[in-house]
Amino acid sequence: MLILLWQEVYKLLLRKSSWIILLITFILPLALITFYQPYQSESALVTFANLMFLYQIFIVVYGALIFANEYAMGTIRPLLSRRFSRLQVFTSKIIVALAYGLSIMIVATLSVLIAKLLFHITVGPHFCKNLISYGVSSFAPSVLVLGMVLLVVNIVRSSGAAIALGVAFTLGINIVTAASQFLVSKAELLKWNPFNILLGTNQFSYDVTSQTHLTLINVIIGLIVYLILFYGIAFVIFNKRNV
């Protein structure tokens, strides 16, 4: 398993796009705070450390490509013919994809902290707590959306489709969650749909109970159930697929 993890990390480090994404993640918050003075505030620092939609696109697209590229380049067959099980291959890719996503969040946070020091921005006593809570609110839905996208990618096996799906899922979430809110207002049971759970992840940083009808505990339970469901189905497809 460790060998597979190191191989995935090695592939990640060889990709120029991996470094470009990290560079963009570092430069963007710093540049915005530098060139636009109203952004030199605590709330702006927390916001730019968690540019949710942008980081979600990076995380979801990379996670989708980590599978799709194996199919596109024909390297999936020799990979699966080795002594490792398909579960180990699948798990190693997921771990590295999520670790890379976490590194994106860390780089963005470092950029914001550097901006804070450079411009002597005054922050309150709950600044670090807010950074962490908003970080969780950004990362948690990315993990769930990635599971949805992987489910489809392991069916279509196309890198182009992986990118399109990643962007579409991330950008379309706001529209779908708005429709989900309407449905929840009509039928209480529908509060457990996955898109309402996605909206509910904001509960980690601020109260959205009135919108989702979900408490933080409800959101956590829903996340766990849907993560098991989507990643489980994605693995079943990956495991049964002929290569």
Side-chain angles (χ1 to χ4, degrees):
M1 184 68 175
L2 284 176
I3 294 175
L4 284 172
L5 287 172
W6 280 117
Q7 285 179 340
E8 292 301 329
V9 171
Y10 181 69
K11 292 176 190 176
L12 173 68
L13 296 177
L14 283 181
R15 292 192 184 100
K16 291 181 181 178
S17 58
S18 302
W19 296 102
I20 291 172
I21 287 173
L22 289 177
L23 187 62
I24 292 172
T25 304
F26 180 79
I27 291 175
L28 186 59
L30 191 58
L32 289 171
I33 294 168
T34 300
F35 295 111
Y36 191 54
Q37 194 169 0
Y39 288 158
Q40 295 177 18
S41 65
E42 179 178 350
S43 60
L45 291 179
V46 173
T47 299
F48 289 133
N50 301 284
L51 288 171
M52 189 179 295
F53 78 95
L54 184 61
Y55 303 154
Q56 281 181 354
I57 289 175
F58 289 159
I59 294 169
V60 172
V61 167
Y62 174 75
L65 285 175
I66 203 172
F67 280 90
N69 282 342
E70 297 284 6
Y71 292 115
M73 296 186 293
T75 52
I76 190 69
R77 186 185 296 274
L79 179 62
L80 295 179
S81 64
R82 299 170 64 188
R83 67 180 187 275
F84 306 108
S85 69
R86 291 199 179 199
L87 179 59
Q88 288 176 312
V89 172
F90 183 85
T91 304
S92 65
K93 288 183 176 295
I94 297 298
I95 290 173
V96 172
L98 294 181
Y100 180 64
L102 193 58
S103 70
I104 289 174
M105 307 293 292
I106 292 171
V107 167
T109 301
L110 286 175
S111 174
V112 161
L113 292 176
I114 290 171
K116 173 185 174 297
L117 293 174
L118 286 176
F119 298 103
H120 308 287
I121 300 172
T122 303
V123 297
H126 300 297
F127 175 64
C128 291
K129 179 185 175 182
N130 290 338
L131 272 182
I132 294 171
S133 63
Y134 273 83
V136 174
S137 294
S138 297
F139 190 68
S142 301
V143 178
L144 184 54
V145 173
L146 177 59
M148 297 177 184
V149 173
L150 288 182
L151 193 157
V152 180
V153 165
N154 277 291
I155 296 174
V156 298
R157 302 191 295 184
S158 165
S159 56
I163 295 173
L165 277 169
V167 174
F169 263 71
T170 305
L171 296 181
I173 285 299
N174 289 334
I175 299 172
V176 178
T177 50
S180 173
Q181 283 181 267
F182 173 77
L183 293 174
V184 170
S185 68
K186 299 299 180 182
E188 182 74 9
L189 187 61
L190 292 177
K191 71 180 183 180
W192 294 103
N193 79 76
F195 299 104
N196 198 50
I197 297 294
L198 280 172
L199 179 61
T201 55
N202 290 313
Q203 195 81 17
F204 288 108
S205 52
Y206 57 92
D207 187 18
V208 290
T209 305
S210 61
Q211 297 171 266
T212 63
H213 298 206
L214 295 168
T215 64
L216 181 58
I217 297 299
N218 293 153
V219 172
I220 293 172
I221 292 171
L223 266 176
I224 293 171
V225 170
Y226 280 116
L227 286 175
I228 293 172
L229 179 65
F230 288 126
Y231 283 94
I233 295 174
F235 171 69
V236 169
I237 296 171
F238 178 74
N239 191 43
K240 298 293 184 181
R241 196 82 196 216
N242 292 324
V243 294

